[in-house]
Amino acid sequence: MTDLNNSNDGEETKPHDSGRNGGDSSEISEEAAWNRFLDEYSDDLGEVVRSRTARKFDRHATRQDKREEKRAILSVNDLKQGSFVDSSGPRDFTQSSWLDTDDVMDRSSVFTPPNPDLGQIRWSRLICGILLVVGVAGIIATAFLPAWATVLGIVFGISILVGAGGLFVTHRGHDETKRDEEDDGARV
């Protein structure tokens, strides 16, 4: 770009003369020089206006104007102090919160948790259950003892079969808890 005071046409502008003519001649010459500049470079300036950078700048400026407008709508100073902090502190809260749900439910409810009478545990079921658990644990442990895998695998395999078979045979379904023929075993 060229400097307005040093034009390329060889014409020199007159220095600003504030004493005579009230300074109008320098303003007219600056305005004329500016208009001449716009005429000479109108094609280049049109390309600049249509460029991608100019459009990006316009979008950025529009967004910035919207942000400034939103900031001006509401300020923190416009709100009362009570909007943020109440006069009471966190330890002054006397109502119950959602963390106290169990206590609140226990106070206002007549619910009695179920406590079924299981009766006597039969020795046969207890022994079969222990055999089943020992057999499963033994089979898992046998994987870490490859030298004894054949013998231990057979022993613990038989233990699993006897324990599971014994539990299956001694299980009577819900017949043990039936009170009459219409009872399907559901308890409320």
Side-chain angles (χ1 to χ4, degrees):
M1 298 258 178
T2 61
D3 190 12
L4 290 179
N5 291 332
N6 297 325
S7 64
N8 290 337
D9 296 334
E11 298 175 7
E12 292 185 17
T13 58
K14 296 179 185 174
H16 182 65
D17 140 44
S18 60
R20 288 182 253 144
N21 300 331
D24 292 336
S25 65
S26 64
E27 289 178 11
I28 293 173
S29 64
E30 285 181 15
E31 188 175 321
W34 180 250
N35 288 334
R36 189 174 60 244
F37 172 78
L38 290 176
D39 290 339
E40 288 178 17
Y41 294 103
S42 63
D43 294 338
D44 294 336
L45 292 173
E47 290 177 12
V48 168
V49 168
R50 290 185 301 270
S51 70
R52 185 185 321 169
T53 307
R55 288 187 303 234
K56 190 187 292 185
F57 178 79
D58 285 341
R59 284 193 304 266
H60 179 72
T62 304
R63 279 191 230 132
Q64 190 67 23
D65 288 344
K66 288 181 182 177
R67 285 186 198 132
E68 292 297 325
E69 190 177 301
K70 286 180 183 177
R71 283 188 202 140
I73 290 173
L74 181 66
S75 171
V76 174
N77 298 330
D78 296 340
L79 300 172
K80 296 178 185 176
Q81 185 65 20
S83 301
F84 299 106
V85 179
D86 197 8
S87 61
S88 61
R91 293 189 178 132
D92 297 333
F93 185 72
T94 57
Q95 300 171 354
S96 45
S97 74
W98 64 273
L99 296 171
D100 303 326
T101 302
D102 290 337
D103 297 334
V104 172
M105 294 295 289
D106 289 344
R107 274 186 262 141
S108 64
S109 177
V110 293
F111 175 74
T112 305
N115 188 12
D117 182 23
L118 299 176
Q120 288 290 332
I121 297 176
R122 295 186 185 171
W123 284 102
S124 59
R125 282 191 181 175
L126 180 64
I127 292 172
C128 290
I130 291 173
L131 281 174
L132 179 65
V133 171
V134 168
V136 170
I139 290 291
I140 293 172
T142 302
F144 298 108
L145 301 170
W148 295 84
T150 307
V151 176
L152 292 177
I154 292 172
V155 170
F156 291 127
I158 291 173
S159 173
I160 290 174
L161 291 175
V162 170
L167 286 176
F168 181 73
V169 169
T170 59
H171 181 67
R172 295 187 212 158
H174 67 276
D175 290 344
E176 297 173 1
T177 60
K178 263 189 178 180
R179 296 184 182 145
D180 58 8
E181 291 297 318
E182 299 291 323
D183 189 5
D184 62 357
R187 301 284 182 259
V188 179

